[in-house]
mmCIF file of all heavy atoms in Angstrom:
data_model
loop_
_atom_site.group_PDB
_atom_site.id
_atom_site.type_symbol
_atom_site.label_atom_id
_atom_site.label_comp_id
_atom_site.label_asym_id
_atom_site.label_seq_id
_atom_site.Cartn_x
_atom_site.Cartn_y
_atom_site.Cartn_z
ATOM 1 N N VAL A 399 -15.743 -31.564 11.923
ATOM 2 C CA VAL A 399 -15.188 -30.622 10.958
ATOM 3 C C VAL A 399 -16.258 -30.260 9.932
ATOM 4 O O VAL A 399 -16.804 -31.132 9.249
ATOM 5 C CB VAL A 399 -13.955 -31.228 10.251
ATOM 6 C CG1 VAL A 399 -13.424 -30.269 9.193
ATOM 7 C CG2 VAL A 399 -12.868 -31.550 11.280
ATOM 8 N N ALA A 400 -16.579 -28.959 9.857
ATOM 9 C CA ALA A 400 -17.623 -28.502 8.937
ATOM 10 C C ALA A 400 -16.998 -27.642 7.855
ATOM 11 O O ALA A 400 -16.153 -26.798 8.136
ATOM 12 C CB ALA A 400 -18.678 -27.706 9.700
ATOM 13 N N ARG A 401 -17.383 -27.876 6.603
ATOM 14 C CA ARG A 401 -16.886 -27.015 5.531
ATOM 15 C C ARG A 401 -17.964 -26.000 5.170
ATOM 16 O O ARG A 401 -19.140 -26.332 5.119
ATOM 17 C CB ARG A 401 -16.434 -27.849 4.321
ATOM 18 C CG ARG A 401 -17.462 -28.829 3.797
ATOM 19 C CD ARG A 401 -16.852 -29.780 2.791
ATOM 20 N NE ARG A 401 -16.719 -29.128 1.486
ATOM 21 C CZ ARG A 401 -16.276 -29.762 0.401
ATOM 22 N NH1 ARG A 401 -15.900 -31.041 0.477
ATOM 23 N NH2 ARG A 401 -16.186 -29.143 -0.752
ATOM 24 N N ARG A 402 -17.541 -24.777 4.915
ATOM 25 C CA ARG A 402 -18.487 -23.697 4.672
ATOM 26 C C ARG A 402 -19.163 -23.815 3.314
ATOM 27 O O ARG A 402 -20.334 -23.459 3.171
ATOM 28 C CB ARG A 402 -17.750 -22.346 4.770
ATOM 29 C CG ARG A 402 -18.596 -21.121 4.443
ATOM 30 C CD ARG A 402 -19.726 -20.964 5.446
ATOM 31 N NE ARG A 402 -20.603 -19.847 5.106
ATOM 32 C CZ ARG A 402 -21.678 -19.930 4.325
ATOM 33 N NH1 ARG A 402 -22.016 -21.090 3.774
ATOM 34 N NH2 ARG A 402 -22.419 -18.874 4.101
ATOM 35 N N ASP A 403 -18.435 -24.310 2.306
ATOM 36 C CA ASP A 403 -18.989 -24.254 0.944
ATOM 37 C C ASP A 403 -20.214 -25.160 0.769
ATOM 38 O O ASP A 403 -21.241 -24.739 0.270
ATOM 39 C CB ASP A 403 -17.910 -24.552 -0.106
ATOM 40 C CG ASP A 403 -17.299 -25.930 0.043
ATOM 41 O OD1 ASP A 403 -17.305 -26.493 1.172
ATOM 42 O OD2 ASP A 403 -16.798 -26.475 -0.968
ATOM 43 N N THR A 404 -20.108 -26.403 1.230
ATOM 44 C CA THR A 404 -21.227 -27.343 1.064
ATOM 45 C C THR A 404 -22.006 -27.525 2.354
ATOM 46 O O THR A 404 -23.038 -28.190 2.375
ATOM 47 C CB THR A 404 -20.711 -28.729 0.651
ATOM 48 O OG1 THR A 404 -19.837 -29.206 1.685
ATOM 49 C CG2 THR A 404 -19.947 -28.667 -0.660
ATOM 50 N N LYS A 405 -21.498 -26.986 3.444
ATOM 51 C CA LYS A 405 -22.078 -27.142 4.789
ATOM 52 C C LYS A 405 -22.036 -28.583 5.291
ATOM 53 O O LYS A 405 -22.701 -28.912 6.276
ATOM 54 C CB LYS A 405 -23.514 -26.619 4.814
ATOM 55 C CG LYS A 405 -23.557 -25.112 4.675
ATOM 56 C CD LYS A 405 -24.919 -24.626 5.052
ATOM 57 C CE LYS A 405 -25.156 -23.265 4.468
ATOM 58 N NZ LYS A 405 -26.559 -23.005 4.210
ATOM 59 N N GLU A 406 -21.292 -29.444 4.614
ATOM 60 C CA GLU A 406 -21.170 -30.816 5.098
ATOM 61 C C GLU A 406 -20.327 -30.849 6.374
ATOM 62 O O GLU A 406 -19.353 -30.121 6.503
ATOM 63 C CB GLU A 406 -20.508 -31.691 4.036
ATOM 64 C CG GLU A 406 -21.435 -32.025 2.871
ATOM 65 C CD GLU A 406 -20.675 -32.560 1.670
ATOM 66 O OE1 GLU A 406 -19.477 -32.230 1.546
ATOM 67 O OE2 GLU A 406 -21.279 -33.264 0.864
ATOM 68 N N LYS A 407 -20.751 -31.725 7.276
ATOM 69 C CA LYS A 407 -19.974 -31.941 8.494
ATOM 70 C C LYS A 407 -19.485 -33.370 8.493
ATOM 71 O O LYS A 407 -20.156 -34.274 8.007
ATOM 72 C CB LYS A 407 -20.865 -31.765 9.724
ATOM 73 C CG LYS A 407 -21.305 -30.353 9.960
ATOM 74 C CD LYS A 407 -22.191 -30.325 11.202
ATOM 75 C CE LYS A 407 -23.084 -29.097 11.181
ATOM 76 N NZ LYS A 407 -24.070 -29.144 12.275
ATOM 77 N N GLN A 408 -18.302 -33.578 9.063
ATOM 78 C CA GLN A 408 -17.831 -34.943 9.221
ATOM 79 C C GLN A 408 -17.057 -35.043 10.527
ATOM 80 O O GLN A 408 -16.535 -34.050 11.033
ATOM 81 C CB GLN A 408 -16.954 -35.354 8.028
ATOM 82 C CG GLN A 408 -15.866 -34.358 7.677
ATOM 83 C CD GLN A 408 -15.096 -34.751 6.418
ATOM 84 O OE1 GLN A 408 -14.905 -35.920 6.140
ATOM 85 N NE2 GLN A 408 -14.640 -33.758 5.675
ATOM 86 N N THR A 409 -17.005 -36.224 11.054
ATOM 87 C CA THR A 409 -16.233 -36.463 12.262
ATOM 88 C C THR A 409 -14.891 -37.041 11.845
ATOM 89 O O THR A 409 -14.827 -38.052 11.153
ATOM 90 C CB THR A 409 -16.976 -37.446 13.192
ATOM 91 O OG1 THR A 409 -18.253 -36.889 13.496
ATOM 92 C CG2 THR A 409 -16.194 -37.667 14.476
ATOM 93 N N LEU A 410 -13.827 -36.350 12.244
ATOM 94 C CA LEU A 410 -12.489 -36.771 11.820
ATOM 95 C C LEU A 410 -11.635 -37.103 13.036
ATOM 96 O O LEU A 410 -11.780 -36.474 14.088
ATOM 97 C CB LEU A 410 -11.820 -35.654 11.018
ATOM 98 C CG LEU A 410 -12.398 -35.347 9.635
ATOM 99 C CD1 LEU A 410 -11.651 -34.182 9.001
ATOM 100 C CD2 LEU A 410 -12.335 -36.579 8.729
ATOM 101 N N PRO A 411 -10.736 -38.091 12.898
ATOM 102 C CA PRO A 411 -9.838 -38.415 14.004
ATOM 103 C C PRO A 411 -8.869 -37.256 14.281
ATOM 104 O O PRO A 411 -8.460 -36.552 13.352
ATOM 105 C CB PRO A 411 -9.082 -39.649 13.497
ATOM 106 C CG PRO A 411 -9.226 -39.614 12.013
ATOM 107 C CD PRO A 411 -10.531 -38.948 11.730
ATOM 108 N N LEU A 412 -8.531 -37.038 15.537
ATOM 109 C CA LEU A 412 -7.591 -35.978 15.883
ATOM 110 C C LEU A 412 -6.187 -36.287 15.354
ATOM 111 O O LEU A 412 -5.405 -35.373 15.088
ATOM 112 C CB LEU A 412 -7.541 -35.790 17.403
ATOM 113 C CG LEU A 412 -8.813 -35.198 18.022
ATOM 114 C CD1 LEU A 412 -8.642 -35.040 19.532
ATOM 115 C CD2 LEU A 412 -9.152 -33.854 17.397
ATOM 116 N N GLU A 413 -5.922 -37.560 15.211
ATOM 117 C CA GLU A 413 -4.646 -37.991 14.637
ATOM 118 C C GLU A 413 -4.470 -37.368 13.250
ATOM 119 O O GLU A 413 -5.311 -37.558 12.366
ATOM 120 C CB GLU A 413 -4.662 -39.531 14.526
ATOM 121 C CG GLU A 413 -3.466 -40.148 13.833
ATOM 122 C CD GLU A 413 -2.276 -40.296 14.783
ATOM 123 O OE1 GLU A 413 -2.506 -40.416 16.002
ATOM 124 O OE2 GLU A 413 -1.125 -40.268 14.297
ATOM 125 N N ASN A 414 -3.411 -36.598 13.085
ATOM 126 C CA ASN A 414 -3.154 -35.907 11.815
ATOM 127 C C ASN A 414 -4.337 -35.078 11.321
ATOM 128 O O ASN A 414 -4.634 -35.012 10.131
ATOM 129 C CB ASN A 414 -2.735 -36.906 10.721
ATOM 130 C CG ASN A 414 -2.267 -36.160 9.467
ATOM 131 O OD1 ASN A 414 -1.769 -35.031 9.557
ATOM 132 N ND2 ASN A 414 -2.455 -36.764 8.310
ATOM 133 N N LEU A 415 -4.990 -34.384 12.247
ATOM 134 C CA LEU A 415 -6.128 -33.554 11.868
ATOM 135 C C LEU A 415 -5.676 -32.446 10.909
ATOM 136 O O LEU A 415 -6.356 -32.131 9.926
ATOM 137 C CB LEU A 415 -6.775 -32.941 13.122
ATOM 138 C CG LEU A 415 -8.052 -32.152 12.870
ATOM 139 C CD1 LEU A 415 -9.137 -33.038 12.279
ATOM 140 C CD2 LEU A 415 -8.564 -31.511 14.165
#
Side-chain angles (χ1 to χ4, degrees):
Chain A
V399 177
R401 53 191 281 184
R402 176 64 184 89
D403 61 335
T404 60
K405 290 194 201 152
E406 286 164 335
K407 291 179 202 172
Q408 49 185 327
T409 302
L410 291 178
L412 291 181
E413 175 82 27
N414 189 28
L415 185 62

